[in-house]
Amino acid sequence: MKIVIIAGGKGTRISSVADEIPKAMIPIKGKPVVEYQVELAKRYGFTEFIFIIGHLGEQIENYFGDGSKWDIKIIYFKEIQALGTAGALAYLTQYLEEDFFVFYGDTVMDIDLERMLNYHRLKKADATLLIHPNDHPYDSDIVEIDENGNVLKLYNKPRPKGFISRNLVNAALFIFSPKVLPNIEKGVKSHIEKDVLPKCINQGMNIYGYVSPEYIKDMGTPDRYYKVCDDVLSGKVAKLNWRNPRPAIFLDRDGVISREIDLLHSADKLELIEGAGEAIKYINEKGYLAIVVTNQPVIARNLCTFEELSHIHAKLETLLGEKHAYLNAIYFCPHHPDAGYPEERKEYKIKCNCRKPSPGMLLDAAKDWNINISKSIMIGDRKIDVQAGENAGVKTSVMIEQNKPYALLDVLKTLI
Ligand SMILES: [Zn+2]
């Protein structure tokens, strides 16, 4: 399987850090950023590369040569004129007869490529995009997926004010089947996100989003450059690879992150508790997964549909995103054990394993996200939250005062 690295980027925004070198050659710890990508791919057994080069591309060619120094094979495609992120692929069809990865040459990442490829194959996808929540969703390209991971739509920037969505952002790492290539025209500037993927979606191709909590960041600005340098040096980039189990902070929703209103069932009524954004940002920065586990009997009681509930959660993620904070996942229990009301949805009036104090949601999350449960923490505002944490076997279960500003941040600072 081949790895295509798009390394033609001019990198104007970062020119204060490094002038006169292509973006992909910007050094981190004395090594070009793209060399980290080569090493990553090699670790997963991929040794055939195509470098798309442009502006100052001879520097890349001089550095890597034919790749033999790294035990890999590299061929180069030099753009005479800038063709966007996708344009050059139209010239490479003869080399791309089976599925291939596409990396952007200025991204710092440590991704379990094998797991992503397995997902792509399992879904029989024509294209798989790595997507994730990030700390600036409002100025990122949002990807809407359904519960199976099928990409429904891309919402590129700019978007209307008041736009509400889940925080799932295109991270710019792709697996493509050769089937997408006819959607790229030769000699015309085009972009993967703006031009190619929307076409594929309109044609009804199988486009999937692979949600990952791993480290992947571009170095678009000097600020981000210094941040990723720190993260490489501290070992954070490598540590967040899927293969390393991670601890999580499990959080109740109502009364802990959003204001407790009895049986909240409309997004208009949802409000963050003061300090909730800062608290979740703190969790994100500490390298813990932020996972919400919430009982939502409003479904069983027929006060709220699944669509409304997912809108409430989209609003929650949007409000947190404005505070530079993100959740990795939201688990909810739609059930309630007491049947016998006329308006209820009988199929959800059952005794289940997910309603807290049962540990079902925490245990499901642990499986889904490779969580180290014995190093994880549960925080809620009720006894059932504490019990759910204990039943799941977390390290600590803590109760905080309901709806109290900064209560979550204060307790987190004593715990992590
Ligand atoms: Zn349940």
Side-chain angles (χ1 to χ4, degrees), residues 295 332-336 350-356 361:
N295 286 352
F332 63 87
C333 163
H335 308 110
H336 195 272
I350 55 163
K351 230 178 124 29
C352 63
N353 297 320
C354 43
R355 184 174 163 82
K356 293 177 288 185
M361 289 187 282

Side-chain angles (χ1 to χ4, degrees), residues 169-284:
V169 161
N170 169 34
L173 169 61
F174 310 94
I175 303 174
F176 287 138
S177 126
K179 280 196 219 163
V180 307
L181 295 173
N183 281 330
I184 307 168
E185 221 183 306
K186 270 190 181 167
V188 179
K189 194 169 184 174
S190 69
H191 293 279
I192 290 174
E193 293 85 353
K194 267 202 311 235
D195 306 304
V196 182
L197 289 172
K199 255 192 217 170
C200 294
I201 293 168
N202 285 341
Q203 289 164 354
M205 285 181 151
N206 286 325
I207 314 296
Y208 279 87
Y210 174 72
V211 184
S212 167
E214 297 163 292
Y215 194 101
I216 174 163
K217 268 198 181 106
D218 75 81
M219 315 183 303
T221 61
D223 275 357
R224 279 187 216 161
Y225 170 73
Y226 294 119
K227 181 87 184 62
V228 295
C229 286
D230 286 350
D231 292 341
V232 171
L233 278 167
S234 71
K236 185 176 180 185
V237 178
K239 205 171 124 193
L240 300 192
N241 184 289
W242 182 270
R243 298 195 178 188
N244 306 317
R246 281 170 71 175
I249 308 292
F250 294 107
L251 300 160
D252 179 38
R253 190 190 82 184
D254 302 311
V256 173
I257 303 171
S258 57
R259 197 163 295 285
E260 164 83 35
I261 297 172
D262 194 31
L263 300 172
L264 174 87
H265 56 275
S266 107
D268 306 338
K269 298 252 163 43
L270 180 95
E271 262 176 58
L272 289 185
I273 296 168
E274 223 182 310
E278 290 88 330
I280 288 166
K281 185 168 184 257
Y282 183 77
I283 296 171
N284 301 149

